[in-house]
Amino acid sequence: NAGVMQNPRHLVRRRGQEARLRCSPMKGHSHVYWYRQLPEEGLKFMVYLQKENIIDESGMPKERFSAEFPKEGPSILRIQQVVRGDSAAYFCASSPLGQGSSYEQYFGPGTRLTVT
Amino acid sequence: DQQVKQNSPSLSVQEGRISILNCDYTNSMFDYFLWYKKYPAEGPTFLISISSIKDKNEDGRFTVFLNKSAKHLSLHIVPSQPGDSAVYFCAASGLTGNTPLVFGKGTRLSVIA
């Protein structure tokens, strides 16, 4: 029973390049969340998606960041024109569908983005 | 504006003793609380949760207590083991189902053999 998968685990980008982070939820889960953790901080919510829908993107910067969860394939968090301040650990979590389901979110191992 | 606060950045406990990790929250709309454990270079692992209709939930060595009037919860680990050494995050959400979690900054627990 595979857990939440994220790749790559480590990503190095130069300033101005694009970063693409991928997340495959647990089997049977159709809700995906992206969180960012800066050094010595807790995780901060960025965006919540269901298949083909963005439900809540209130935590995501308006510029340069976008997310999608297509009908087929993993969820993608895309950061365009990266800057040094984007260096962080990015975690994806998934949870089951529907009211009354478990409220727990299950996290992937994270992608550590370093911008040089 | 931190809605979930873990005021102790670190805690050291001897093996076999009780570890008590504390968490305070400010948002009265939070109805569901969770504790996660995180090792370096790994994602957070779900430990235990509690809804606001309860004041205690127990799972093996882990017990979470909720004091809704004080907006305070705590995680008790007894007996503490060296493998419990990790960063523990408190998280909260509303009970509308599948809502984003709001995390505290974490407490680093060191269990000394």
Side-chain angles (χ1 to χ4, degrees), chain B residues 4-6 21-25 35 71-74 90-91:
Chain B
V4 177
K5 296 178 186 177
Q6 293 177 257
L21 295 95
N22 293 304
C23 177
D24 298 292
Y25 62 97
W35 284 94
K71 295 193 178 70
H72 176 84
L73 60 154
S74 61
C90 171

Side-chain angles (χ1 to χ4, degrees), chain A residues 9 33 35 95 99 103-105, chain B residues 32 36 41 96-98 101:
Chain A
R9 292 292 307 272
Y33 305 80
Y35 293 83
S95 69
Q99 284 284 78
Y103 296 107
E104 290 85 36
Q105 295 177 17
Chain B
Y32 198 74
Y36 284 84
T96 55
N98 291 307
L101 299 175

Side-chain angles (χ1 to χ4, degrees), chain A residues 35-115:
Chain A
Y35 293 83
R36 175 164 67 175
Q37 184 185 24
L38 295 170
E40 307 304 319
E41 295 284 325
L43 282 73
K44 295 279 172 60
F45 165 73
M46 298 182 73
V47 61
Y48 163 33
L49 310 103
Q50 294 179 25
K51 288 279 187 183
E52 300 184 281
N53 277 310
I54 296 175
I55 307 301
D56 180 353
E57 55 183 347
S58 59
M60 197 157 67
K62 298 281 187 280
E63 311 271 327
R64 302 186 298 108
F65 286 73
S66 62
E68 62 176 6
F69 189 15
K71 190 176 179 182
E72 301 290 338
S75 175
I76 308 273
L77 179 68
R78 185 179 174 211
I79 311 171
Q80 295 179 290
Q81 299 174 328
V82 296
V83 300
R84 288 224 172 99
D86 297 332
S87 295
Y90 291 82
F91 292 98
C92 167
S94 72
S95 69
L97 171 69
Q99 284 284 78
S101 296
S102 162
Y103 296 107
E104 290 85 36
Q105 295 177 17
Y106 296 88
F107 283 81
T111 294
R112 271 138 197 92
L113 172 65
T114 302
V115 179

Side-chain angles (χ1 to χ4, degrees), chain B residues 65-86:
Chain B
F65 295 92
L66 175 63
N67 182 333
K68 205 173 174 190
S69 61
K71 295 193 178 70
H72 176 84
L73 60 154
S74 61
L75 174 69
H76 292 211
I77 307 172
V78 56
S80 301
Q81 299 172 354
D84 296 330
S85 297

